[in-house]
Every structure is written in C-alpha cells, then in structure tokens.
Amino acid sequence: MTLQTADRALRLVRLVASRGEMTLTEAAGALQISASMAHRLLRTCAEAGYLDQELRHGPYTIGPALRQITADVARGSTLPGLLGGVLRQVAEGMLETTSLAVLEGRNIRFILTEEGTHLVRIARPVRTVTPAHATAAGRALLAGLTDDDLAARYQGAALETVQPGTIQDWAQLKAEIKKVRNRGWAIQVGEAQPGVAALAMPLRDGFGQTVAAVTVMVPYLRLSRSDDARSLAHRLRPYADQMERRLASGSAR
C-alpha cells in the first residue's frame, strides 16, 4: 500500500465514522477518485474490520475493529476512576508499588501507579510503554488473548530484548503464557528493569474479557523464590477480585 493509498484509506474511515454510513458513490465523490478505486479502498478497510457492509451494494458503516479501538481508548480513560481507589488499597495494604496496565498492540501502557511505602521499594515505572512479553503485566494481558489472536499479533515480529534475560523466543513466550493461564498470575524478575521483579494478575470485565492487569513491583530479592511468588499472589488475589467486581458492575462502589 502506497502512502497516498494509506492516507485515502484513513480519510475514508474517518468520513464513515463521522457520517455514520457512506455509499460507494459518496466515497468516490468525497475523495475525488474513481468508483473502482473507492470500491477497492472500501473493501480493503472492510476486510481489515475497520468498516462493515451488511447488505451487498448497501452503505458502509464502521466495523468491529474500529469499535474495539474506540472501546479500548475509552476504557483506558475510565479505568483509573473505576479502579484507582482499590489500587491505593493495594499499595497501602501490601506496602509495595502497584500499577494498572492495558495492552496496546505488542506493548503495555501503565495508566496509573500508586507508590508503596515499604522502606525499600520500587519507584514508578521508568517506561510508561513497555514490550508486553518482557513484563508480568504484559504476560497477564497476553494470556487473555486466544491462541489465534496471540499468533496474529506477533506474526513476523521479533521479540525486543529489553534486558539480557528477556524472553526472546516465540516458543518460550507461548510456554510462559500457558503457565499464566494455568495459575492465574504472571511473574518476571529483572526482564524489564534491572533489580526489579513484578507479579501481575489479569482483570476481566463482566463479559469475561481481559481489559487490564494489576501488577505489584518489588526489589527482585523479595521475589526470588517460588514461595515468594505464591505468597505475593495470595495477598494480591483479594484486591484483584475486588477490581473485577467493580469492572462487572461498571461503577465504583
């Protein structure tokens, strides 16, 4: 796809989103292109899920992929208000720095952090956006995808080396995600930031969809044994359950 074609496709999606629907003739006129070229653009956008056409020869409307993007953006802005109170409880109750993260492509974004009060504690994340495969929160979020979605997301992509110990092999990442699904939490030790370990749990909404992850960050010496991880997960679980109840209800209580 050329730059000009990509620009036209983006303009087309924006036009359909703003108008609600658009016919082939309207699209060709709005972009001042031929009907055949407009048809190719519309079909390309529809195949990618950004537009939809319920009836053959009928108008085009916004598609499921665009609706999902809109929902993801809205969720990123509402989650802090919905879960922020509980996140503060985590930091106060566990004395450790804790964050909420959401998935963005192959990365995660930390959308809210509460710093712990432990004498030796981790400060706020150095990188707001971090490769998902290198973080506990990212693996918790990736575990919520289907195998097909996971494969499509990483198809042909190299796994970035954030630290020397970061997972770099696709088979290893799949194996790690399988562990997360089985035990209900993810862990990383020094893979995203030297000396920092983290444990994270996925947070599901009322429809069972993983929409965020809550993660607790500690100095790696406090999470160096399997017993340490199980103990931390046991302490975090009630808070994660409380967050999921809020997600299910859709409003803070």
Side-chain angles (χ1 to χ4, degrees):
M1 180 181 289
T2 66
L3 185 60
Q4 183 182 41
T5 302
D7 178 68
R8 285 172 171 168
L10 289 172
R11 288 170 58 196
L12 191 56
V13 170
R14 289 182 63 184
L15 282 169
V16 175
S18 65
R19 297 185 184 186
E21 64 178 34
M22 180 174 281
T23 65
L24 170 61
T25 301
E26 290 171 337
L31 297 182
Q32 296 184 332
I33 57 178
S34 66
S36 60
M37 181 174 292
H39 181 261
R40 287 196 297 271
L41 285 173
L42 288 165
R43 292 313 308 161
T44 297
C45 292
E47 289 168 3
Y50 294 107
L51 297 180
D52 193 17
Q53 186 184 38
E54 293 186 8
L55 300 174
R56 189 178 182 185
H57 304 307
Y60 287 81
T61 59
I62 61 173
L66 188 57
R67 293 182 187 279
Q68 184 62 54
I69 291 172
T70 303
D72 289 342
V73 172
R75 186 168 58 235
S77 63
T78 58
L79 283 176
L82 192 62
L83 305 179
V86 184
L87 196 71
R88 284 190 293 275
Q89 293 177 29
V90 179
E92 293 169 359
M94 300 182 68
L95 308 181
E96 307 287 6
T97 297
T98 181
S99 296
L100 288 175
V102 294
L103 192 62
E104 293 185 353
R106 293 189 291 270
N107 297 317
I108 63 163
R109 179 179 295 276
F110 291 106
I111 60 173
L112 186 63
T113 296
E114 292 289 342
E115 194 163 310
T117 57
H118 200 288
L119 183 61
V120 179
R121 61 185 182 274
I122 302 302
R124 297 174 184 273
V126 174
R127 299 170 62 170
T128 302
V129 178
T130 308
H133 71 280
T135 65
R139 294 170 192 170
L141 289 161
L142 292 174
L145 302 177
T146 66
D147 288 339
D148 288 343
D149 287 342
L150 187 64
R153 193 168 296 234
Y154 281 91
Q155 185 176 16
L159 300 182
E160 178 184 341
T161 301
V162 180
Q163 294 294 326
T166 303
I167 289 178
Q168 300 178 26
D169 179 76
W170 171 238
Q172 186 182 1
L173 178 59
K174 288 197 298 182
E176 187 64 27
I177 288 174
K178 183 177 180 180
K179 291 180 184 178
V180 176
R181 290 170 176 165
N182 289 336
R183 67 193 177 198
W185 48 268
I187 187 174
Q188 70 83 17
V189 180
E191 296 177 58
Q193 185 178 339
V196 178
L199 186 143
M201 290 182 175
L203 300 174
R204 301 175 181 86
D205 62 16
F207 301 100
Q209 298 296 313
T210 300
V211 297
V214 55
T215 180
V216 174
M217 291 164 279
V218 302
Y220 77 96
L221 289 176
R222 292 212 289 271
L223 201 56
S224 59
R225 302 175 304 170
S226 57
D227 285 347
D228 296 332
R230 284 192 289 269
S231 176
L232 191 61
H234 178 73
R235 294 168 60 200
L236 181 59
R237 173 53 63 191
Y239 297 107
D241 290 344
Q242 186 178 351
M243 288 181 175
E244 289 194 330
R245 288 194 294 271
R246 291 199 173 196
L247 287 171
S249 68
S251 62
R253 289 185 285 181

